[in-house]
Amino acid sequence: MSAQPKTTPSNAVGGWGSAKAVAGSLAKEHVLLHGSALLTHQNKPDGYMCVSCSWAKPAHPHPLEFCENGAKATAWDVTTKTAPPNFFAAHTCTQLLDWSDHDLEKIGRLTAPMRWNPATDKYEETSWQEAFEDIGARLRRLQPDSVVFYTSGRASLETSYMYALFARLYGTNNLPDSSNMCHESTSVGLPKTIGVPVGTVTLEDFQHTDCMLFFGHNTGTNAPRMLHQLQDAREQRDVPIITFNPLREPGLVAFRNPQAPADMLTGRKTVISTQYHQVKVGGDTAALTGLCKYLIEEDDRARAQGGPAVLDHAFIAEHTHGYEAFAQAMRGASWDQIERHAGLSRAALESAGRAYAQAKAAMVLYGMGLTQHRNGVQNVQMITNLLLLRGNIGKPGAGVCPIRGHSNVQGQRTVGITEKPDKVPAEKLKSLYHFDPPSKKGMNTIEACEGILDGRVKAFIGLGGNFARATPDHTRMEPAWSTLDLTVAVATKLNRSHLLHGRVAYLLPCLSRIDIDRQATGDQAVSMEDSTGCFHGSRGRNEPPSDRLLSEPAIVAGIAKATVGDRGTVDWDGWVADYGRVRDAIEATYPEIFKDLNTRMWNPGGFHRPLGACERKWNTETGKANFIVPETYDEDADMPEHDGRVLRLMTTRGDNQFNTTIYALDDRFRGIKGTRKVIMLNPDDMVRLGLRENDKVIASTVAHDGHEREVAGLEVRSFDIPAGCAWSYYPECNPLIPLWHHAKESKVPAAKSIPITLRKQA
Ligand SMILES: Nc1nc2c(c(=O)[nH]1)N[C@H]1C(S)=C(S)[C@@H](COP(=O)(O)OP(=O)(O)OC[C@H]3O[C@@H](n4cnc5c(=O)[nH]c(N)nc54)[C@H](O)[C@@H]3O)O[C@H]1N2
Ligand SMILES: Nc1nc2c(c(=O)[nH]1)N[C@H]1C(S)=C(S)[C@@H](COP(=O)(O)OP(=O)(O)OC[C@H]3O[C@@H](n4cnc5c(=O)[nH]c(N)nc54)[C@H](O)[C@@H]3O)O[C@H]1N2
Ligand SMILES: [Mo]
């Protein structure tokens, strides 16, 4: 008999635990009354859009349209704690490098523009004007392609549009963003199959779907408001939800609605997943192959016997390309191989296939568990293969739903933050601003890291984010930052990336989206795109923590004017005075997507971008939706030997973090308390490897490229996880990811399948 794991998750997400945690987060940031009043505006028409996840904002919101984690993110932003210049006067950067991610951000909001002084190793206050002029002068002396303009997915459409335009006026497409570590596998995978870069599912589809398949997403923690849609589908229409995840994530097992008093009083909870398949880490292509093989062979059988078809042949004939080759590949796949790579039985996969086959309209939802793999793009394309078999694109209740990360990460790409020049309407930019946009492909996140290591990159501008922590291979990367000529960080709070700086370094504090943004023509609003391709307005309501902060658009314009003020015909000052004019410019650049943006962004529930796939118009090379034959089932075919000692490590978020922002050390739903330096293993693997509960181990990456990669001090916990797999936290384990260990076509770091070995620490 198998050993039983010791760490067991709590059974339902939501409930009183949530309500208590919200109150606790507000109290910790000293914002109790003020914070709870603010929260009534969160994700509401004419309110502000949550700074946490990007899940859709409904037209008819709940009285409190926020979740525990959204409330934590708000409290973290509107905290009354600050990190003023006298804090920096008391600490050198070298000293601060010993602080944890949690402790650095916990100091509070940055209050004044700072410049690093090499003589004291301290950030010291400077003026905005001096900062802009010096940055501009330095940038003008550099080759445009040696400068990287990174964006993290929180910046608004207005800021992002201005920032991308600035980089192009300057002369480079070096515009990597957090999406390069996230859903780039989606952005590369979907255009080839269904001709759109984003998901096709809208909130309305949840009311029409007959089946949901869920891959690699921890909804209870990372998009909790979505649990309302799942609960409604389960309760009102008994919709089957079939989950594929190596961990039994409590939010996908059961949910207790903290906003339904009856649920809270009676302790009633809704079972979310009707089938739960603990697929092996990296086993999704195999699992999806099993589903497709089952459907195709059932269809072959039914047709041979004159029964009703299992596949939608009319759709396949009219709308798709490549079906025969795909069907042959699926027929030829062996169940042995599928079972081995997926770690699931044929019977389990057939029962999932049966539920899918019975649904008139089905959708597939997924997160980082699919995209952050060597085969991330192929995983995404296997999902569209499955959907196309039964015509599940372009009809109500059906479609593909990549669950995006940061609250505007999807929108940034829509308005020009991209390293790929072919994704930008260059002719439009040329005619609007009278310059020639650069046509050379820029660097994505991985390429920017390579450029920092090999000296091609000389300056790094970070609009938000914590690049040095979020990216792979810390041990190689961290020393390289000090070789840069210039680093500029636009941020709300101090983080480790600001301490790993170049020879000249600026730390420029900005308003948060929740803050009131006062400009020459009055208080400004911004806009963003959610996970369902819907655009919303957002108006800040919090009194900013300092009068020396500038808004992100003002900072971008300040640097842009000092750098490229003499190029093109952009009215930077006019745009900062009135963001409505930036939106006019966005509309002029992308008229099909942003018609009447200034008005429609205030529609309750926002407004949708047009997507050809939703109308079964396929903007692909074949003019059809394409089936794509998977290349391999093996996640790591090109990685070193797997000799039984090697485990496949996935690194994920926990409940009390927003990416590298760590609110607290507990991962309540998964039953892990007081530490993040843990590694969760299958109990049988522990026996096999001679490890016991709470043993301290060193994890090392198996990669023969001449670099040692280790993380020490991890405590072993037995956990309900498939054999051969291990699980620990991001960003603590990022030193283990080799820079080159990324998805083949999209270069998304393969943070979910790092080959490691463990040894006991003395
Ligand atoms: N509160 C909060 N909300 C957030 C964030 C946050 O940090 N905190 N981050 C935001 C961002 S930027 C993003 S991208 C999203 C991320 O949200 P998720 O996509 O949920 O990201 P992770 O936390 O990394 O969790 C990945 C999930 O995939 C599963 N998984 C891992 N490997 C595999 C695999 O091989 N196959 C399958 N099927 N499953 C696998 C893990 O068990 C886990 O449930 O959340 C966003 N929302
Ligand atoms: N191992 C591993 N690595 C991963 C992942 C993983 O699952 N595993 N996930 C990847 C994913 S999906 C993502 S998206 C990236 C995230 O990577 P990043 O987006 O680079 O990181 P964040 O932690 O979200 O950045 C947090 C910082 O942003 C700043 N900030 C917060 N709000 C604002 C604001 O309003 N304006 C500005 N200018 N700054 C602000 C604060 O200073 C804060 O410290 O990490 C990736 N890295
Ligand atoms: Mo993300």
Side-chain angles (χ1 to χ4, degrees):
M1 204 185 90
S2 292
Q4 288 301 307
K6 287 269 180 342
T7 310
T8 42
S10 65
N11 55 3
V13 168
W16 292 117
S18 275
K20 241 171 62 191
V22 169
S25 310
L26 294 175
K28 265 208 285 196
E29 299 307 317
H30 309 161
V31 286
L32 195 47
L33 283 171
H34 152 70
S36 33
L38 260 181
L39 284 169
T40 58
H41 298 288
Q42 189 149 315
N43 299 327
K44 297 285 181 58
D46 205 38
Y48 61 90
M49 293 300 140
C50 182
V51 293
S52 190
C53 82
S54 59
W55 186 238
K57 284 76 183 169
H60 305 290
H62 297 85
L64 301 177
E65 185 63 33
F66 63 85
C67 67
E68 171 180 340
N69 287 339
K72 276 184 211 155
T74 301
W76 201 249
D77 264 22
V78 303
T79 179
T80 55
K81 299 178 190 167
T82 56
N86 64 10
F87 166 83
F88 290 94
H91 304 273
T92 64
C93 281
T94 310
Q95 286 165 344
L96 290 169
L97 276 170
D98 287 337
W99 291 34
S100 70
D101 294 315
H102 172 71
D103 289 340
L104 287 174
E105 284 212 27
K106 203 182 67 178
I107 308 163
R109 291 284 299 275
L110 299 167
T111 64
M114 315 286 288
R115 177 184 171 149
W116 178 69
N117 180 347
T120 58
D121 184 28
K122 289 174 180 172
Y123 273 107
E124 294 169 1
E125 187 168 358
T126 179
S127 74
W128 283 105
Q129 206 43 43
E130 188 277 330
F132 291 154
E133 279 168 15
D134 188 49
I135 294 167
R138 287 172 192 280
L139 288 179
R140 284 200 306 273
R141 287 199 291 271
L142 290 169
Q143 281 295 324
D145 281 333
S146 70
V147 182
V148 169
F149 295 86
Y150 174 72
T151 324
S152 168
R154 220 176 249 201
S156 64
L157 293 175
E158 293 78 358
T159 307
S160 305
Y161 179 83
M162 291 168 71
Y163 189 64
L165 181 58
F166 161 41
R168 295 201 167 91
L169 277 162
Y170 177 60
T172 184
N173 283 307
N174 285 345
L175 284 157
D177 79 341
S178 56
S179 168
N180 289 144
M181 299 178 252
C182 188
H183 266 294
E184 187 64 13
S185 301
T186 298
S187 313
V188 170
L190 293 185
K192 290 190 187 138
T193 59
I194 57 170
V196 289
V198 298
T200 65
V201 163
T202 65
L203 269 187
E204 223 181 274
D205 287 315
F206 283 84
Q207 290 157 30
H208 302 287
T209 192
D210 303 308
C211 180
M212 291 184 218
L213 283 93
F214 237 101
F215 287 83
H217 188 260
N218 179 13
T219 313
T221 290
N222 294 331
R225 288 182 301 107
M226 185 191 226
L227 292 176
H228 292 298
Q229 277 83 46
L230 303 187
Q231 186 186 34
D232 289 351
R234 288 288 310 124
E235 296 217 320
Q236 293 164 10
R237 294 182 307 107
D238 199 16
V239 173
I241 298 182
I242 303 165
T243 298
F244 291 83
N245 195 312
L247 307 184
R248 286 181 64 80
E249 298 289 16
L252 290 169
V253 174
F255 175 55
R256 190 174 294 139
N257 188 348
Q259 307 212 341
D263 286 11
M264 297 287 272
L265 290 173
T266 58
R268 191 180 65 103
K269 58 187 185 189
T270 307
V271 169
I272 297 287
S273 296
T274 49
Q275 291 186 30
Y276 210 112
H277 301 291
Q278 286 180 271
V279 64
K280 259 198 210 166
V281 170
D284 300 277
T285 285
L288 283 154
T289 298
L291 294 182
C292 292
K293 179 178 174 69
Y294 168 78
L295 291 169
I296 290 166
E297 290 181 350
E298 281 298 293
D299 185 74
D300 290 343
R301 191 168 310 127
R303 291 212 294 171
Q305 293 167 359
V310 176
L311 307 184
D312 185 341
H313 290 285
F315 175 87
I316 292 173
E318 186 183 346
H319 290 289
T320 71
H321 176 266
Y323 170 71
E324 269 317 321
F326 177 71
Q328 267 323 99
M330 295 296 103
R331 291 183 190 111
S334 88
W335 277 111
D336 272 0
Q337 261 203 341
I338 293 171
E339 288 185 320
R340 188 157 53 82
H341 287 289
L344 298 170
S345 69
R346 175 174 177 174
L349 291 168
E350 286 185 345
S351 78
R354 216 169 293 125
Y356 174 74
Q358 280 160 7
K360 283 204 201 75
M363 56 167 85
V364 181
L365 309 97
Y366 66 94
M368 294 301 101
L370 276 205
T371 61
Q372 293 177 334
H373 282 289
R374 302 283 283 179
N375 292 327
V377 173
Q378 177 180 291
N379 284 338
V380 170
Q381 294 179 332
M382 278 306 295
I383 284 181
T384 47
N385 287 336
L386 176 70
L387 289 168
L388 293 177
L389 286 176
R390 288 187 41 83
N392 274 317
I393 302 265
K395 69 182 180 193
V400 59
C401 184
I403 307 163
R404 292 275 169 161
H406 275 291
S407 48
N408 191 37
V409 63
Q410 185 162 317
Q412 298 183 329
R413 305 296 257 181
T414 310
V415 297
I417 301 276
T418 172
E419 70 284 2
K420 297 173 185 162
D422 58 326
K423 306 279 178 205
V424 183
E427 284 307 312
K428 264 276 159 48
L429 293 181
K430 186 172 177 171
S431 72
L432 285 169
Y433 306 110
H434 307 100
F435 78 111
D436 286 310
S439 54
K440 187 175 156 209
K441 189 197 154 293
M443 294 176 188
N444 60 24
T445 292
I446 289 294
E447 291 154 359
C449 289
E450 290 165 348
I452 292 168
L453 282 177
D454 68 21
R456 270 174 303 147
V457 171
K458 305 282 183 216
F460 184 93
I461 319 289
L463 180 65
N466 188 358
F467 190 85
R469 290 297 280 161
T471 45
D473 238 348
H474 290 175
T475 320
R476 289 181 68 205
M477 287 299 301
E478 289 202 348
W481 287 91
S482 61
T483 65
L484 298 186
D485 290 344
L486 174 69
T487 51
V488 178
V490 180
T492 49
K493 290 201 172 178
L494 180 65
N495 65 45
R496 191 171 172 87
S497 300
H498 311 146
L499 304 170
L500 296 163
H501 51 71
R503 287 192 276 264
V504 174
Y506 285 91
L507 180 49
L508 305 178
C510 64
L511 295 175
S512 141
R513 186 190 303 151
I514 307 174
D515 296 336
I516 299 166
D517 184 350
R518 301 184 172 99
Q519 302 294 349
T521 65
D523 294 357
Q524 301 299 309
V526 293
S527 53
M528 53 219 46
E529 177 175 357
D530 70 27
S531 249
T532 61
C534 204
F535 301 104
H536 307 264
S538 174
R539 196 181 285 288
R541 292 181 173 262
N542 180 55
E543 194 54 47
S546 154
D547 57 10
R548 279 167 296 167
L549 303 185
L550 290 185
S551 72
E552 289 179 322
I555 297 172
V556 171
I559 303 177
K561 266 173 58 185
T563 315
V564 295
D566 54 346
R567 280 180 229 168
T569 51
V570 181
D571 179 7
W572 297 105
D573 290 331
W575 282 6
V576 174
D578 178 1
Y579 300 174
R581 290 189 49 205
V582 187
R583 289 186 286 274
D584 288 339
I586 294 176
E587 182 175 342
T589 312
Y590 306 94
E592 315 76 37
I593 302 180
F594 289 106
K595 191 170 172 307
D596 296 332
L597 173 59
N598 265 308
T599 319
R600 292 202 295 162
M601 69 193 244
W602 298 116
N603 286 357
F607 71 94
H608 278 286
R609 62 192 275 172
L611 288 172
C614 295
E615 293 153 39
R616 298 192 166 176
K617 291 187 186 134
W618 315 103
N619 186 20
T620 60
E621 267 176 25
T622 59
K624 305 253 174 158
N626 292 309
F627 281 98
I628 305 221
V629 177
E631 273 175 27
T632 168
Y633 308 131
D634 191 350
E635 169 67 9
D636 297 322
D638 52 351
M639 289 299 285
E641 77 284 352
H642 284 243
D643 63 1
R645 285 181 318 124
V646 183
L647 300 170
R648 196 175 281 174
L649 173 73
M650 61 173 186
T651 55
T652 78
R653 294 149 181 80
D655 166 46
N656 264 311
Q657 87 185 78
F658 190 88
N659 297 335
T660 60
T661 298
I662 313 297
Y663 305 124
L665 299 180
D666 295 343
D667 193 354
R668 179 159 54 87
F669 303 138
R670 287 145 160 181
I672 291 158
K673 296 214 174 66
T675 175
R676 295 171 55 87
K677 291 283 282 204
V678 279
I679 183 158
M680 279 57 77
L681 303 176
N682 175 288
D684 293 336
D685 285 339
M686 282 172 57
V687 173
R688 198 166 51 80
L689 298 171
L691 294 171
R692 294 214 206 116
E693 196 74 17
N694 302 330
D695 273 354
K696 277 229 164 97
V697 292
I698 301 171
S700 334
T701 309
V702 185
H704 304 300
D705 64 349
H707 295 285
E708 290 275 309
R709 294 180 184 85
E710 289 191 346
V711 171
L714 295 170
E715 266 178 43
V716 169
R717 297 287 157 85
S718 55
F719 207 83
D720 181 3
I721 185 172
C725 306
W727 162 48
S728 187
Y729 289 111
Y730 145 62
E732 287 79 355
C733 282
N734 282 37
L736 295 172
I737 313 174
L739 210 47
W740 45 263
H741 183 56
H742 53 64
K744 278 170 248 163
E745 303 90 334
S746 65
K747 297 205 174 175
V748 169
K752 297 290 187 274
S753 57
I754 315 166
I756 56 156
T757 55
L758 299 175
R759 65 176 193 278
K760 237 194 259 190
Q761 206 167 332

